[in-house]
Amino acid sequence: MELFFQQIVNGLVLGSIYSLVALGITLIYGIMQLPNFAHGHLYMLGAYVTFFMITHYGLSYWPAILFSVAALVVIGMLLERLVFRPLHHAPHINSMIASIGVMLFIEATARKMWGSDYRRLDSPYDGVIDLFGLTITEQRIIVILSAIALMIGLNLFLKRTVIGSTIEAMAQNREGAFLVGINANKVSLMTFAIASGLAAAAASLAAPINLVYPSMGAMVNLKAFVIIVLGGMGSIPGAVLGGYILGLAESISGTYINSEYKDLAAFALLVFILTVRPTGLFAKEAR
Amino acid sequence: MRSFPASKWVVPALLLVALAIPLLTDNSYYLNMLIMIFIWTIAVSGMNMIAGYAGQLSLAHAGFFGMGAYTLGLLMAKAQMSFLVSLVMAVALTGIVGAVVGMISLRLKGHYFAIFSLCMGVIISLVIEKWESLTEGVRGLLGIPIPKIGSFEFSTVTSQYYLILFFLVLAMFVNRQIVQSLVGRTFISIRNSEELAEALGINVMQSKILAFVHSTVLAGLAGALYAGYLRFLGPEVASIEHAFEMLLYLLVGGISTLWGPLVGTALVMAMMQLLQSWQDYRMIIFGPILVLIVMFLPHGIMGALARLKMKRQSVLPETIDNENRVIEKGTTDRRLAGGEIDA
């Protein structure tokens, strides 16, 4: 039983990371109808920035995360401006392919600049906490709590501020949003900024638990896509819930079934659910 | 899209050159490269059928390529079956799996289909990598015997060259027949607007499955030829990077053009060979090229040539414009139809 609860905690940690990445993808999809295949690689860049800020420039953990988020916000905005905005009126297959191009570029650049080595980031919080008989490292607790804080923050931003509600308005009804004078370019720029920032935060939080390497984003990216398809593309609660479901499914199946096939669990789940419900679990209407 | 080749002599001339190359040179480096170009062209032309003509971007094709390769490899190496039987079985298996996957996945539209097919590709490559008792996993599958038809052994590079050239010509011929037939027009009508095609009485689902199965069969065939040629397989043949590379070849050459797969594959693979010493920079160069192509040359080299020529001849300039407008309108409509989002 203790093993089971341990796996639940691990699942929550994984799920927190997945949710944050999936939130970014779903936000971008909601605004631009673009499945951003490069998103996982922004996540990877975020981890590297944090890593170098700590090891090379001697920043401490939290300022390094802040710097990484800021750097990725800028990169995300640049991508939107240079690549995706010009493609906005092209057929949708084009911007999807462009995002694949961006993805290949980012990964190759990272590999060239920093090599393919696996790097380890030492956590400043390596203590262990005893919680109801479970031993949990502090870093894991930080991941779970920060992810929840970020999600609440995002929710408040979208629901309670005027700028945030322009994002929601545009995701709900593009034409309606234009009618009330919302600037589409500004909103998509902002969405890219937020999504990239979330990815950087997620990667920086996860970096001390996982390793940092150039292709670390690829699998996370694929799984985040599984999540948003499960949750309904563009749906924010779907992304959060889907993230935790996948995290838990993975850590539990990894323990009780076979850890070799742990990565398969996510995709098998997707195939199964889409076979039964082609629109995803939480989509509002049939396509 | 039919305007290239301009004169009816281009195709026979190209074929003649292709047939003559092994007589002119026995440099196995060049022959090897041509063989690889032919193999990947077959696979890319399959991708072109489903993504270019039927408009459903499938990223599972590296998986099907790997499936074809491993089926032939395993049947020949472990079950001691003959080359031809293994080839037919490999093609049949990818076709059957393609039909099943297609029946499930083609109910999904647009991005959902692309993502689902991406996941299918990952599943296939993970299965190949992890099922070590069957595929030998990351150690790789060794000991595939030399392909033999009757008593003739395809042991030399030249004989392999002709074998694979034969299948390339066959694949391109079949593709041409399909594209110019009513079936091909059905595919295109689905790409332009599924709703409209349905309203015209086209069985959309059936046509999409047909296009998908045809494309997986071509990917499986290419994979099987690859296994028969290299006689060594590693799980990375099925990796998702190959699907992205195939997409690059297709886009450079020209999506939904008959000659695009050949032109794109030949050009990009040749460039990659030239940049061999720049191995690390390959994707740093090709990633942005992919972006620039969708921005400025969305129909690739062959599409641009066809358009240029049609404009120069200015036989019916309105038709091109009309065609463009119809395609664009179709896609816009599709976006609006599928544009409901819940946040």
Side-chain angles (χ1 to χ4, degrees):
Chain A
M1 211 51 199
E2 203 184 309
L3 179 71
F4 178 73
F5 283 113
Q6 202 78 53
Q7 288 312 318
I8 296 274
V9 173
N10 285 345
L12 287 177
V13 173
L14 265 182
S16 307
I17 309 290
Y18 290 161
S19 294
L20 289 178
V21 179
L23 267 176
I25 297 181
T26 215
L27 276 175
I28 292 175
Y29 187 83
I31 297 299
M32 304 179 83
Q33 280 78 50
L34 158 75
N36 183 13
F37 285 113
H39 202 73
H41 291 73
L42 297 177
Y43 169 90
M44 178 266 293
L45 282 183
Y48 267 103
V49 174
T50 307
F51 178 82
F52 284 120
M53 279 299 128
I54 291 176
T55 53
H56 281 215
Y57 299 94
L59 259 63
S60 56
Y61 188 55
W62 295 103
I65 292 187
L66 271 185
F67 188 89
S68 158
V69 169
L72 264 288
V73 161
V74 173
I75 293 176
M77 285 163 84
L78 276 178
L79 275 185
E80 194 274 342
R81 188 66 196 81
L82 295 178
V83 177
F84 296 112
R85 191 184 296 178
L87 281 169
H88 194 240
H89 292 291
H92 274 184
I93 199 170
N94 289 16
S95 45
M96 184 154 53
I97 292 167
S99 76
I100 292 176
V102 172
M103 179 193 89
L104 296 173
F105 173 72
I106 294 178
E107 187 172 338
T109 310
R111 209 175 280 280
K112 186 65 211 160
M113 281 170 68
W114 304 312
S116 314
D117 321 341
Y118 290 67
R119 294 161 196 260
R120 172 174 289 286
L121 179 63
D122 291 321
S123 168
Y125 305 97
D126 48 4
V128 178
I129 292 177
D130 204 47
L131 201 72
F132 309 119
L134 292 173
T135 47
I136 306 166
T137 57
E138 283 172 356
Q139 181 68 33
R140 284 173 195 265
I141 301 214
I142 287 174
V143 172
I144 296 177
L145 293 182
S146 322
I148 293 173
L150 279 172
M151 285 173 207
I152 293 175
L154 178 69
N155 194 42
L156 287 179
F157 173 72
L158 290 179
K159 301 280 182 197
R160 296 290 163 82
T161 63
V162 176
I163 317 176
S165 50
T166 57
I167 293 186
E168 258 217 304
M170 223 171 101
Q172 280 170 1
N173 187 329
R174 233 188 140 71
E175 280 71 28
F178 293 158
L179 281 178
V180 295
I182 290 173
N183 182 337
N185 288 342
K186 251 190 206 155
V187 172
S188 52
L189 198 63
M190 191 164 60
T191 312
F192 252 89
I194 294 172
S196 314
L198 282 176
S204 313
L205 289 169
I209 300 176
N210 302 327
L211 296 166
V212 179
Y213 52 97
S215 56
M216 65 185 278
M219 217 16 133
V220 171
N221 195 35
L222 282 174
K223 284 176 185 164
F225 271 104
V226 170
I227 290 161
I228 64 162
V229 172
L230 292 184
M233 286 171 61
S235 153
I236 291 176
V240 174
L241 213 58
Y244 284 111
I245 290 177
L246 187 70
L248 290 170
E250 234 176 64
S251 77
I252 289 173
S253 71
T255 327
Y256 291 100
I257 303 174
N258 187 343
S259 63
E260 275 282 282
Y261 290 95
K262 162 170 84 64
D263 284 338
L264 263 182
F267 305 109
L269 191 70
L270 176 84
V271 170
F272 174 73
I273 286 176
L274 285 185
T275 312
V276 184
R277 259 190 79 111
T279 47
L281 284 181
F282 304 101
K284 271 185 195 153
E285 60 177 299
R287 272 161 181 265
Chain B
M1 309 289 169
R2 215 145 58 84
S3 52
F4 182 85
S7 97
K8 58 187 171 185
W9 297 110
V10 174
V11 178
L14 265 178
L15 193 59
L16 222 75
V17 171
L19 283 172
I21 284 174
L23 305 177
L24 302 175
T25 169
D26 51 0
N27 183 331
S28 60
Y29 174 78
Y30 291 120
L31 287 184
N32 174 52
M33 216 181 109
L34 283 172
I35 288 174
M36 281 300 161
I37 288 173
F38 293 168
I39 288 174
W40 285 105
T41 301
I42 296 175
V44 173
S45 75
M47 201 177 195
N48 190 22
M49 270 292 152
I50 184 74
Y53 288 100
Q56 316 290 319
L57 179 63
S58 163
L59 296 169
H61 276 65
F64 285 105
F65 184 92
M67 189 187 282
Y70 265 90
T71 312
L72 181 115
L74 287 171
L75 286 178
M76 283 183 71
K78 292 202 168 172
Q80 274 83 41
M81 287 206 187
S82 76
F83 175 68
L84 269 187
V85 176
S86 308
L87 188 70
V88 171
M89 300 259 282
V91 168
L93 183 76
T94 44
I96 292 166
V97 175
V100 174
V101 171
M103 270 181 238
I104 299 169
S105 61
L106 287 163
R107 295 185 301 164
L108 310 168
K109 287 184 187 160
H111 300 135
Y112 278 84
F113 176 75
I115 295 168
F116 188 97
S117 66
L118 183 69
C119 292
M120 265 332 285
V122 176
I123 290 178
I124 296 174
S125 78
L126 278 175
V127 167
I128 289 178
E129 191 183 319
K130 305 283 183 196
W131 195 352
E132 290 192 358
S133 57
L134 182 73
T135 63
E136 306 295 332
V138 285
R139 273 169 291 157
L141 181 65
L142 296 160
I144 300 170
I146 297 170
K148 253 167 54 172
I149 292 178
S151 59
F152 185 78
E153 275 200 342
F154 291 93
S155 53
T156 61
V157 183
T158 312
S159 60
Q160 285 275 356
Y161 176 91
Y162 284 117
L163 177 76
I164 289 162
L165 179 64
F166 166 77
F167 280 106
L168 173 71
V169 173
L170 182 71
M172 288 186 70
F173 178 74
V174 170
N175 284 344
R176 176 174 164 274
Q177 294 306 103
I178 289 180
V179 169
Q180 293 181 0
S181 72
L182 192 61
V183 181
R185 286 172 197 283
T186 313
F187 293 168
I188 295 173
S189 76
I190 292 173
R191 178 187 71 198
N192 290 346
S193 162
E194 276 189 36
E195 288 81 7
L196 192 60
E198 202 140 45
L200 288 171
I202 291 170
N203 188 337
V204 171
M205 191 61 193
Q206 207 184 340
S207 310
K208 282 203 286 189
I209 291 179
L210 188 67
F212 190 68
V213 170
H214 179 60
S215 72
T216 58
V217 159
L218 286 177
L221 172 70
L225 292 172
Y226 177 88
Y229 171 60
L230 282 188
R231 297 172 36 225
F232 159 78
L233 289 173
E236 67 281 351
V237 284
S239 75
I240 198 73
E241 279 82 38
H242 279 310
F244 296 142
E245 274 173 19
M246 282 162 69
L247 190 64
L248 174 68
Y249 302 156
L250 182 55
L251 281 213
V252 170
I255 193 164
S256 66
T257 60
L258 271 175
W259 289 86
L262 180 63
V263 172
T265 312
L267 200 69
V268 178
M269 285 186 82
M271 271 168 73
M272 282 185 178
Q273 280 297 320
L274 289 177
L275 298 176
Q276 188 110 68
S277 51
W278 289 28
Q279 189 77 8
D280 299 344
Y281 295 94
R282 260 183 14 185
M283 281 304 159
I284 301 181
I285 297 166
F286 284 111
I289 285 184
L290 202 55
V291 174
L292 291 176
I293 282 179
V294 291
M295 274 184 189
F296 301 111
L297 210 66
H299 300 277
I301 293 171
M302 293 319 292
L305 281 183
R307 260 144 238 263
L308 200 71
K309 218 180 74 195
M310 276 162 104
K311 234 175 233 164
R312 194 174 294 156
Q313 288 177 338
S314 69
V315 184
L316 284 169
E318 317 80 34
T319 25
I320 323 170
D321 276 15
N322 277 339
E323 191 195 18
N324 281 344
R325 220 169 285 140
V326 170
I327 291 172
E328 266 158 34
K329 201 156 173 253
T331 40
T332 325
D333 284 343
R334 193 167 54 191
R335 177 173 70 212
L336 289 179
E340 291 291 333
I341 298 119
D342 39 85

